[in-house]
Amino acid sequence: MLRKMNLASSIRQSPAFLTAEWRWLAMLNYGIDPAVLEPFVPRGTELDAWNGKHLVSIVGFLFLNTRLKGIPIPGHQNFEEVNLRFYVRRKTPDGWRRGVSFIREIVPRRAIATIARVFYEEPYLALPMSHEIRFEGGLPRDVAYRWTHGKTPGEIRIETTGDWKPLQEGSGEEFITEHYWGYTKRFRGPASEYEVIHPRWRTMDVKSARFSAGVAALYGGEFSDALAAEPFSAFLAEGSHITVRLGSRMVS
């Protein structure tokens, strides 16, 4: 079931900017000092926390069947993405909008990264990428996303256990996956806001999770300590069809 939507929202009535499937989302989540994140918080939002704990997440997944304003772009429909994100919220007359903001988004397609940086000021970077997913009994048991930054290889990899399970109310998995808004910090002027619409995702537990990268060169030295620690949590989200609707720049 799709989450409840306020049809009076101007953003939610806007045409779909992008549709796709996001699949096999490997999510490694780390505790972090909120002081590290404060310089990256988009104007008009504030940091969001789960049970008093601030998190950043390394997320690797597949973009599939991608269409821009309903049009499939040849050679740019199926690809990997790995991003480093954190969690924010914005107070509106309708209540809190819980969202994410990105430190870095890696994709293998140069055109995608260039358009996202130039026109939307999203922190995209194009790098050589690959993925590997091993299934057993129809379930993804080994999921890996890889990239190379300069001469330094990077990887996020998880091994799963058990079966798919629904999100539990109040859980860390719910907090991490149920942020349906995106906020982009602009160099000049107000931040921009967009909405990502999708059903609640099922998740799967993991028995091992690994992340390796040249953190300082890729994300900044201020993230080195947090990302060198053991993850606070890790899980695989099944994913689904998604729709992105763009709004205008926020006034704040």
Side-chain angles (χ1 to χ4, degrees), residues 36-50:
V36 173
L37 298 175
E38 284 292 353
F40 301 94
V41 175
R43 186 189 303 179
T45 70
E46 62 183 55
L47 290 173
D48 199 3
W50 181 70

Side-chain angles (χ1 to χ4, degrees), residues 134-190:
R134 179 175 59 83
F135 291 86
E136 290 182 2
L139 297 173
R141 287 302 181 211
D142 191 354
V143 180
Y145 299 96
R146 303 185 181 96
W147 63 94
T148 303
H149 186 217
K151 296 183 178 180
T152 304
E155 180 184 59
I156 175 174
R157 185 168 198 155
I158 62 174
E159 294 179 89
T160 68
T161 185
D163 205 340
W164 296 113
K165 59 183 183 179
L167 288 175
Q168 298 298 309
E169 294 288 339
S171 67
E173 289 87 350
E174 182 187 53
F175 173 85
I176 289 163
T177 61
E178 294 281 285
H179 280 69
Y180 288 101
W181 298 88
Y183 295 95
T184 305
K185 184 173 183 178
R186 301 277 189 162
F187 292 108
R188 292 177 297 277

Side-chain angles (χ1 to χ4, degrees), residues 33-82:
D33 183 342
V36 173
L37 298 175
E38 284 292 353
F40 301 94
V41 175
R43 186 189 303 179
T45 70
E46 62 183 55
L47 290 173
D48 199 3
W50 181 70
N51 290 346
K53 191 176 188 70
H54 291 87
L55 301 173
V56 291
S57 298
I58 295 283
V59 182
F61 63 102
L62 292 181
F63 248 107
L64 301 175
N65 303 318
T66 306
R67 291 173 178 261
L68 191 64
K69 296 184 178 180
I71 301 172
I73 309 300
H76 294 76
Q77 292 177 262
N78 303 320
F79 53 91
E80 303 89 354
E81 177 172 327
V82 172

